[in-house]
Structure formats: structure tokens, C-alpha cells
Amino acid sequence: MSSSDSVLSVSHEDEKKYVTTAAAVTELEVDVAAQLDSGSDETVSPEDAVRIRRRVDLHILPLMCLLYLMQFADKTTLGQSAVLGLLEDAHLTANQFNWLGTIFYLSYLVFEYPQNLALQRLPIGKWMSINIFVWSVSLCTHAACKSFGGLFAVRFIMGICEGAITAGFLLVTSMFYTRKEQTVRVGYWFLMNGAAIIFLGFVAFGVLHTKSTHVHPWQWMMIITGLVTFVTSILFWFLFPDSPANAWFLTPADRRLAALRIKENQTGMENKHFKIEQFWEAIYDPKTWLFALFAGIAQVPNSLSNQRQIIINLFGFTPIQTTLLGCVDGLVEIIAIFTAVKIAAAIPNSRSYVGFAWAIPGMIGDILLIALSSHRRVGLLFSYWTSIWAFACFPMALAWMGSVTAGHTKRITTNAIVLIFYAIGNASGPFMWKQQYKPRNRVPFAVILACEFSFGLLFLVIRAYLARENRRRDQEQHDQTYDDVYVTLKDEYGNEVQKKIDKAFLDLTDQQNREFRYVL
């Protein structure tokens, strides 16, 4: 807020008392939800809140789940294709195969911040739709690639496009849901990673039985998943909203109620104006880098996504058995994420403790994978499934990060930094799966064990930092800076009117708004 705007001049006699206490802001500075807010102390009835949430769940959650299923299926088709003939047809070495996993995340890394800027400036739903469309075409063209160079190029393009999805979903989830609901909804769309593994397992089982001599099983895999993703892009273009302010499935009255429903978050919906001061606040905020470090460490084990079929095959199972047993991977991941987010939502301020607890089974599985002898293939298989339990920790952290970050520019900057570290972790992970460590891969599993121990502790470190910040704010006197803030808007007749803006819709950061309390 500029000094020139620190006093609001009013023409009506009965409003002169506000001259010395009120402040004026421009329409660019406030959240889009300010246009829906009546400026009064209106609240949403419990019945209306449930009705709005159900409408939102019905219209956007299935689309988010479908897309997240396909985005994970699409990027892990590489690992599935490894046992369907890709390595032989494209003449790939183990090192080249690892590079195909890495280049995806290197392009993701480079384009993540530009993608976040686009998500702020452009309509979110439409921008994601464009990225999904390009992504689907790129996936289909995998089937035409016969060399490392061709696969390298299409994987690079897919990495660029995928940068819009998780970041976009985090923004949309924070716009439509309360902080308690965000943990569960992030969990719902993230557990579609597990559903994708099951989906791919059955597709792989089917294509293994194809009799075509011109199109090989791994090529059918790429074509089928690419076409489903193409259809998803069309659905997103027509059905996915950009925010509650223009959600087609809500009436104008319900859009206002949707804005009021999330007022308790103190994070608003969105602001299309880039605020440099919020950018720098995100850079200097310690919790940004704690979450970023968490993301980087937590994604090194995610290299299992492209290695899991090879790992199970090396335990001594046939390709047919491997594709079907791989479906259990997905079921374990679904159960782990579902139980984690449900418990975290049911018990107040339990996010960090649940996250730490869910890392423990993962560590136990890793220890068993290192210690068991090679002939105990069933024991190795169950140990591998136990190690997957820790995959629930990352969506827990993503939802937590969104709940403790306010200010739209700060939020997109924080998302970008965290997802850049996410890309670094994913890009580095494939290089630990070296030929000399096979078939038991004890060294990679030792690295994964160290990572899971580290990010489990980070849950507790983040909690301690945020709890200290809450105690500090509890001891502060009330900050009146943003109690009386007005914005000039035009009514339906084109007349300029002064409208009081609630603090929740001023697009304040979590550091500016001293009434903001961090959930734990």
C-alpha cells in the first residue's frame, strides 16, 4: 500500500470519521474475492457451506483426479515400457534410460517458475488445458521414436508441460477449499498416482497380448495413454473453472458464498497483479526453504516410479507377473495416502506427526530390502511394498505448505521454489540406479532410507518453527493497519463506489497479516 493511499477521502458527511483511520487501495492490490464480498459481516450457514463444498467436489474434484491419474501414468509409461520392449527397440543403455527419466525433470525445473507466472497472469483452467493438449501429443509421438535422441526430445517437452499441473492444482485447491479440507483434497488427487499404477498395470497386461507385428506393446502403451490424455485436455478446456469468481456451476449468489466460505483461510483466492514485495518475502521466508528442502529430499525415492517394474522383474518374476504385481504398488500407495490425509484432517494440528509416523514403515521396508537374502523373493516383494508407505509424506507436505502461505504472488513463488527442488530431487534420483548395483540395488535403497529418515525429521523441524511463530504472534498487540481498508469499484450502473474490504481479501501475506495463525 503506497503512502499516497494511506488516507481515504470521502464526500459524505456521515463518513468523515473514517478520514484519519481508513486506507485506500486500488483494485489491482486486492484479491478477486473482494468483488464478491458484500463488505458486511455476512457469514455462510453450515448448510450452505456443505452445499457449496459438495458442488465444488462434484464438478472439479473428478477432473483433478482424472488429470493427476493421467499425468502420473504418462510420465511413468517409460518405466512400464522398459519391460515391454522399449529398451531393445530403441537400443537404450541403462545410462540412457536413466537420462530419459532425468531430462523430464530438468525441463520441469527450468520452466517451473515461468509456468507459475503464467498461472498467475492467465486463466488457470485454460492454461492447464493447453499444456495437457501439448503433453498428450508429445506422449503419442513416443511411439514413433526409435532412438535415444527422439525419446530425449519428447520427454523434454513433457517435462515443460507437467510444470503447470501440480502448481495449478495447489492454487485451485486453496481457492475452493478451507484449510482443513485442503489436506484431504490434495490427498485425493495425489493418491491418483496409485490409481495410475493400477491402470498402467492392466493396460500393460493387455498390450502384452497384442499380436500386431508393426506396433509393439510399448508403442500401444504410449498411444493409449496419450489418447486418454488428449480427451482429458478437451474436458478441461470446457469444464474446469479458473476460480470460484467465474465457476460456471455456481450461481452469482453461490460464488459470493464460496468466497465467504474460505474467508477463514486468510489467504484469499487470487490476484493477477505480480507484487515484487511478496516475491522477496517468499525468498526470505525460512519456511519456504524448509519445504523446498523437504521436496528435494522426498523426491529422490520417487525414482522408484520408473524403476519399479525393473526391480520386481529382478526379484525373479516374469514380465506378465511383474505387470500384475505392479498393480499392488498402486493399491499400497492409495491406502497410505488416504489414511494419512484422513487422520491429519480429523486430528487438529497433527500434520507433522502423521507425516513423521508414515515415514517409519518406509524406512523399515528399506532396511529389509537391504538385509534380506536374494532367494527370499516374496519377502523382498513385501518389503518393497512396505517402503512405498512413505510416499504419503509428500502430498501431506504439499497441502501443509498451501495452508501456511498467504499472498497470491508469495504463494506462486513458494510453489515454484518448492517444485523446482521437487524437480531436482526427481532429476538426481535416477542416477543411483547403476548397473553395478543390480540385481539387489542395496546402495539405492540405502540412499532412499537416508532420505526418508531426513524428511521425517523435517516434518518435526517445520512444526517447531511454525509453532514458535504462532507463540510470537499470540504475544503481539492487535495490528490495526488493515482493519479499515476501502477500494473504489464500479457498480452495475458504472458509478464509482467505496467498498470496505475484509482483511482476508486484501491479498496480504502470512507475515503481513498478524492475525494469521499457522496450522501444524
Side-chain angles (χ1 to χ4, degrees), residues 32-203:
V32 296
Q35 299 178 10
L36 302 175
D37 185 21
S38 65
S40 65
D41 293 327
E42 180 184 6
T43 58
V44 185
S45 69
E47 295 78 16
D48 280 336
V50 170
R51 181 175 58 82
I52 296 295
R53 190 197 69 212
R54 285 176 177 169
R55 288 191 67 82
V56 172
D57 280 344
L58 178 64
H59 288 89
I60 73 167
L61 199 56
L63 285 172
M64 294 171 79
C65 289
L66 173 62
L67 178 57
Y68 221 74
L69 184 153
M70 291 314 303
Q71 68 92 24
F72 190 80
D74 293 350
K75 67 184 178 184
T76 54
T77 47
L78 183 69
Q80 197 81 47
S81 298
V83 295
L84 297 178
L86 171 67
L87 298 179
E88 295 78 14
D89 287 357
H91 312 291
L92 299 177
T93 65
N95 189 51
Q96 287 175 327
F97 179 78
N98 289 339
W99 262 108
L100 292 178
T102 294
I103 192 56
F104 179 95
Y105 288 104
L106 287 179
S107 63
Y108 183 111
L109 186 159
V110 172
F111 287 92
E112 183 55 34
Y113 195 68
Q115 284 279 23
N116 272 268
L117 289 178
L119 288 168
Q120 181 179 25
R121 297 293 184 90
L122 302 173
I124 291 179
K126 298 297 184 288
W127 180 247
M128 283 199 292
S129 301
I130 293 169
N131 278 275
I132 302 164
F133 172 77
V134 175
W135 174 0
S136 68
V137 173
S138 178
L139 184 61
C140 286
T141 56
H142 276 61
C145 296
K146 299 293 185 181
S147 67
F148 171 70
L151 290 167
F152 188 95
V154 292
R155 298 295 295 179
F156 184 88
I157 295 171
M158 283 182 64
I160 295 173
C161 297
E162 209 239 348
I165 308 307
T166 301
F169 277 14
L170 289 173
L171 292 175
V172 169
T173 304
S174 66
M175 291 179 192
F176 281 94
Y177 293 105
T178 65
R179 294 205 283 187
K180 180 179 178 180
E181 294 164 353
Q182 286 172 29
T183 300
V184 177
R185 269 61 187 185
V186 170
Y188 284 166
W189 51 258
F190 206 94
L191 64 78
M192 298 312 292
N193 287 356
I197 293 171
I198 297 173
F199 167 74
L200 278 182
F202 284 113
V203 173

Side-chain angles (χ1 to χ4, degrees), residues 349-357 396 400 456 459-460 463 520:
N349 291 323
S350 64
R351 291 164 177 80
S352 58
Y353 295 143
V354 173
F356 178 78
M396 289 281 296
W400 193 12
F459 268 118
L460 304 181
R463 179 189 174 90
L520 307 175

Side-chain angles (χ1 to χ4, degrees), residues 444-459:
F445 282 115
V447 174
I448 291 173
L449 172 63
C451 289
E452 290 174 352
F453 176 76
S454 299
F455 69 66
L457 286 181
L458 270 173
F459 268 118

